[in-house]
Amino acid sequence: MFKSTLGGTRYVFDDLKAVLAAATPERSGDRLAGVAAGSGAERVAARYVLADLPLITFLNDLVIPYEADEVSRLIVDDHDAAAFAPIAHLTTGGWREWLLSEAVDAAALAGIAPGVTPEMAAAVCKLMRNQDLVAVARKCRVITGFRNTIGLEGRLSVRLQPNHPTDSPAGIAASILDGLLMGCGDAVIGINPASDNVDSTVQLLRLMDELRQAHAIPTQTCVLTHVTNALQAIERGAPLDLMFQSVAGTEGANRSFGIDLALLKEGQDAALSLGRHVTGRNVTYFETGQGSALSAGAHHGVDQQTLEARAYAVARKFEPLLVNSVVGFIGPEYLYDGKQILRAGLEDHFCGKLMGLPMGLDVCYTSHAEADQDDVDTLLSMAALAGVTFIMGVPGGDDIMLHYQSTSFHDAAYARSVLNLRPAPEFERWLIDVGVFDDAGRLSAKALAGESRRLVDYAAALL
């Protein structure tokens, strides 16, 4: 039991998960779960409690019991005590000051990452303003590789997302061309299939691999299908680069996705066995989102932001090339409006980077949320300033298969331009070679005007 007195009122919190939930900034999902603070004053009282808690508390007092959840067991069993040692003496509030200190740089943050548990990351996050989340995340540097190198300083990668409502090969190829001509696709060319079965997975993997090889594009491809489908596709000889899966922060939520840790390990091993990786051994791609455990009825009374951080412990176990928080996709039941989506996106990026993950954001919203494209612009700008590893590139910013709004190829060009960011180096060299970029690494004026003979010939060959 934890207690705090504020303004003459005494607040009592039954356990650690109650403190974490009450300290969380306002969001509709925690209201729906019945765990949110009852007032702003109670939220502040909970933050006072949280600030004074020693970090060691989060190793000894688990929000979900060890024996009841395999994610809890993973967090405890994989904790790196040596990495934790430099911050083991600190309280949560003291750690916040340490993180914000100018003396703490990328090397120091990388050093402690294996010792940071999800609950620690979530706790310190709740004490931070948005600008704090940006300032710390910007200092984190997480570099991964498959066929190119992701996460280098001064770089912003883009997932080219050429979804089509009927999985039309011509429609997908046209979207891929559109994205490539705007410099997108270095993170991955990744399709959410309309028909989520093995036959469709194999067909789409072969389509993308043929395009990639025919034009020597230094990137990786992925069909975002269930890991069991991907395993069957490998058995059929499909050219699979990345093993994809949606993951969550509790055993029960992962079970609702049809997975457990053993199956994820099987998927990682299968992808590695193909030997298609070149610049690194990062062969997995995970997507997450606040609210997934609640929607599965597997949240254990824990707030959704803490559970989201626990999903990053699952991802971290399998050394991913990319981790993507699809921050506004689940809907307003979990993140009601643009303000809540903005905060959640910065939280997710901060916690993932702090735990050593190559974090991207799908800066997005559904049509029934209280959000619009101005909210997308704001979160995109702040995420890019915070050093986000990658964002989405969707034709027109409107996914016609998944029916939600995200960032467009032009949005990616904007973010790179205003912050002087560039694609992955191998991909950038290819863009210059085919004429999409000029020799200075900027979008070619001729390419933008459709006047490049090389690009016209290239487009005809691609389609």
Side-chain angles (χ1 to χ4, degrees), residues 19-372:
V19 174
L20 288 165
T24 306
E26 178 70 20
R27 65 206 55 203
S28 53
D30 290 341
R31 289 276 169 220
L32 181 63
V35 301
S39 66
E42 184 180 6
R43 184 172 294 113
V44 172
R47 290 175 182 173
Y48 271 114
V49 172
L50 202 55
D52 289 338
L53 286 180
L55 289 178
I56 197 74
T57 305
F58 300 100
L59 295 175
N60 300 325
D61 189 354
L62 304 182
V63 296
I64 303 175
Y66 181 93
E67 62 278 3
D69 186 275
E70 72 168 355
V71 178
S72 291
R73 293 192 288 276
L74 168 68
I75 292 166
V76 172
D77 295 346
D78 278 16
H79 183 251
D80 188 327
F84 179 59
I87 58 173
H89 63 290
L90 295 173
T91 62
T92 309
W95 188 33
R96 174 185 176 276
E97 298 304 313
W98 185 89
L99 290 168
L100 289 166
S101 167
E102 292 187 4
V104 172
D105 58 11
L109 292 169
I112 67 165
V116 175
T117 70
E119 291 83 358
M120 291 176 195
V124 75
C125 179
K126 297 174 196 296
L127 302 181
M128 289 187 159
R129 294 168 57 186
N130 287 356
Q131 69 172 242
D132 298 335
L133 300 177
V134 169
V136 176
R138 185 174 176 83
K139 293 193 290 185
C140 296
R141 184 64 48 208
V142 182
I143 300 169
T144 58
F146 184 90
R147 203 171 275 121
N148 56 28
T149 308
I150 305 294
L152 294 168
E153 188 171 2
R155 307 280 173 169
L156 172 63
S157 294
V158 183
R159 171 187 158 191
L160 202 170
Q161 184 170 303
N163 296 345
H164 192 277
T166 64
D167 288 339
S168 162
I172 288 170
S175 291
I176 292 174
L177 173 62
D178 190 15
L180 291 174
L181 295 185
M182 289 297 295
C184 298
D186 53 333
V188 64
I189 301 174
I191 300 173
N192 297 90
S195 303
D196 196 15
N197 57 58
V198 179
D199 289 339
S200 178
T201 297
V202 172
Q203 179 186 23
L204 294 174
L205 284 170
R206 287 177 176 162
L207 166 67
M208 289 188 292
D209 198 59
E210 287 169 5
L211 290 174
R212 182 191 63 79
Q213 291 201 60
H215 304 285
I217 307 171
T219 190
Q220 37 284 331
T221 63
C222 183
V223 174
L224 281 70
T225 189
H226 194 273
V227 63
T228 54
N229 285 345
L231 287 168
Q232 292 180 63
I234 289 175
E235 291 176 358
R236 296 189 190 183
L240 182 141
D241 286 345
L242 302 182
M243 184 65 66
F244 169 81
Q245 185 56 52
S246 295
V247 296
T250 71
E251 179 180 344
N254 283 326
R255 193 182 301 120
S256 77
F257 291 154
I259 62 167
D260 57 19
L261 298 180
L263 181 59
L264 294 178
K265 181 66 165 66
E266 182 182 352
Q268 181 191 32
D269 289 345
L272 281 169
S273 74
L274 298 177
R276 297 172 62 82
H277 46 288
V278 178
T279 62
R281 290 174 50 84
N282 306 110
V283 299
T284 58
Y285 172 22
F286 297 115
E287 287 194 343
T288 67
Q290 288 193 28
S292 58
L294 175 57
S295 71
H299 61 100
H300 298 268
V302 181
D303 70 273
Q304 65 185 39
Q305 189 259 321
T306 299
L307 292 177
E308 172 72 2
R310 284 170 57 95
Y312 303 153
V314 175
R316 181 168 62 178
K317 176 70 173 177
F318 302 102
E319 300 175 300
L321 178 76
L322 308 165
V323 179
N324 180 34
S325 167
V326 193
V327 66
F329 183 74
I330 300 183
E333 299 86 356
Y334 304 97
L335 295 169
Y336 179 71
D337 58 14
K339 180 180 176 69
Q340 292 188 13
I341 292 171
L342 169 64
R343 174 69 191 192
L346 296 178
E347 288 171 347
D348 295 350
H349 178 248
F350 165 86
C351 288
K353 281 287 186 67
L354 197 57
M355 292 173 62
L357 289 175
M359 286 301 298
L361 281 180
D362 191 343
V363 181
C364 63
Y365 64 97
T366 57
S367 59
H368 61 310
E370 292 294 321
D372 58 26

